Amino acid sequence: RSSNGSVFTPMSNYSESQHRIPVRSNVSVPTRLNRLGHEKVEKAKICVFQHNWRTASLFELNILSIRGNSSSDFIVNDAKVVKKGCIAGSKTASAVNLELVGVSGDIIQYDFEFTGYVKASYSNRPVRKIISGDEMCICKHSDCGVFPNSKNIVAREYFSDKFMHQWEFGPSFGSRRNSIAYVPLGPRLDFGMVSWANEPVAEASNRNWLFNLIISPTTSSRRKLVSFVNSSAFAKTLGKSAPFVLNIAKQWHANFGANYADTFNSTQYKNVLKHSVFTLCPTGRNPESYRIYEAIEAGSIPILALDKEYHDHPCKNAFLPFVKYHAPFVFLTDWKQLPKVLAMYSQDPNKVVALQERLRPWYQKFFYNVSLQLDMVTGRTLRQTASTSTTIQQKQQ
């Protein structure tokens, strides 16, 4: 519904003739060159083995290749079905495999490396692992934050400097032997990507809604935010006429693409984001959420709060990659700042448009750096594996 209580109808007054955000498909994203200085055409194949399709969305959508110009394409498999190109003996098989593994305290879960079926699929190719789904940074295993390690863990989802000491993008990362890489969530698989070349994405000044808040009240911080947005103090500061979309589901739904009575389906949700200037991204089980990346895909500016819930979360400094690398987001120190900040931006449309136009170039450069870091850590582990193997052979001789 909108701020005056009217029922929201998706795309009720959207015009295809609205302005589009300028498409800058390769702004500030360097082209990867081969040794002769020519642009690479063939990309390496990396086989990814997943045990939860949702946490593998980044690889399923091939975001690192499409948005980040990665030198690799990713072939995603599950533990029961291995795709062509990842089967032992395949001519197009990858040089390295990535496995997304879960954690429970000091136990690495879903570790299928040594089960008969997957081991046969891996053949003799190295297996490198990414900690997946550790939203509360509960991993106590000695290998979760130190590299190299006995479990061959090279990266993790959900950033935390608890595990990533002195982390940063850039060449210096590759020189730090104790660094693991950071793998962002990206958008959900059932949200997909917005075709920036073909889908109309309205300029901020031509969008229907000032902001959207579409969540399930799964945490106390989210419930507080919902209560505040519904308060008279919020309406008084922002103004009753400011249109926004507020949708609070009764419970969290795992199947994002389905139709539920209490929330939007994936198509309606994408339409709301595409027609909202801002998207509120409150902390859930982790400060990072798929919603942040989905908002950027849709050209909606994420609003994040570095508040008490953020600072008290077990995953310390979860937004460091955004803050350190100047993400064109709106950062608050408390959600109570929201109405004044929204009112300020409403009075300066040019400032909003300028912020929105920075989203895509930053997003591409961000994923370019992520892909470089993943290249470094998988390439480094391969070199270390070869070096270790040579050392062992020499000792045996």
Side-chain angles (χ1 to χ4, degrees), residues 61-295:
L61 293 170
N62 212 12
I63 291 280
L64 295 179
S65 180
I66 296 171
R67 297 294 192 232
N69 196 23
S70 170
S71 63
S72 303
D73 282 324
F74 299 89
I75 306 172
V76 181
N77 311 266
D78 60 33
K80 297 180 180 179
V81 179
V82 178
K83 295 178 182 176
K84 184 178 180 181
C86 293
I87 300 173
S90 170
K91 293 181 179 179
T92 59
S94 64
V96 63
N97 294 292
L98 291 176
E99 181 180 5
L100 303 184
V101 298
V103 296
S104 178
D106 59 354
I107 300 172
I108 305 296
Q109 294 179 315
Y110 314 124
D111 191 346
F112 291 160
E113 179 181 356
F114 298 106
T115 60
Y117 184 78
V118 176
K119 185 177 181 182
S121 303
Y122 285 159
S123 185
N124 294 321
R125 288 164 285 170
V127 180
R128 304 297 168 231
K129 298 173 186 178
I130 297 175
I131 295 293
S132 171
D134 186 16
E135 297 169 298
M136 302 299 289
C137 290
I138 62 173
C139 185
K140 297 178 182 178
H141 198 284
S142 59
D143 294 337
C144 282
V146 179
F147 180 83
N149 54 68
S150 64
K151 279 290 186 179
N152 292 320
I153 296 168
V154 298
R156 66 169 283 119
E157 295 176 336
Y158 297 112
F159 184 90
S160 173
D161 57 13
K162 171 182 176 181
F163 302 111
M164 300 169 176
H165 307 294
Q166 297 182 329
W167 171 93
E168 63 180 24
F169 283 138
S172 61
F173 169 83
S175 64
R176 291 185 177 138
R177 292 178 59 84
N178 64 338
S179 297
I180 59 174
Y182 163 56
V183 177
L185 295 176
R188 282 168 286 194
L189 180 61
D190 32 14
F191 180 93
M193 292 187 292
V194 174
S195 176
W196 292 348
N198 300 317
E199 293 185 48
V201 178
E203 188 180 89
S205 59
N206 291 300
R207 296 200 166 205
N208 297 342
W209 300 289
L210 181 58
F211 72 90
N212 72 76
L213 177 59
I214 305 172
I215 57 172
S216 52
T218 53
T219 63
S220 61
S221 59
R222 288 188 170 195
R223 290 189 287 272
K224 289 178 184 177
L225 177 57
V226 171
S227 178
F228 178 58
V229 171
N230 273 321
S231 69
S232 58
F234 182 88
K236 183 178 179 180
T237 305
L238 184 60
K240 294 182 179 180
S241 61
F244 62 86
V245 177
L246 177 64
N247 179 257
I248 311 303
K250 294 180 180 179
Q251 61 183 24
W252 179 77
H253 299 291
N255 189 357
F256 178 58
N259 291 307
Y260 296 99
D262 61 346
T263 191
F264 301 112
N265 61 32
S266 56
T267 300
Q268 293 169 331
Y269 169 76
K270 183 183 288 188
N271 286 336
V272 173
L273 267 59
K274 288 174 69 175
H275 308 314
S276 300
V277 179
F278 298 101
T279 294
L280 309 192
C281 304
T283 294
R285 282 185 56 81
N286 187 276
E288 185 183 2
S289 65
Y290 297 100
R291 183 188 327 275
I292 296 169
Y293 306 96
E294 291 159 358

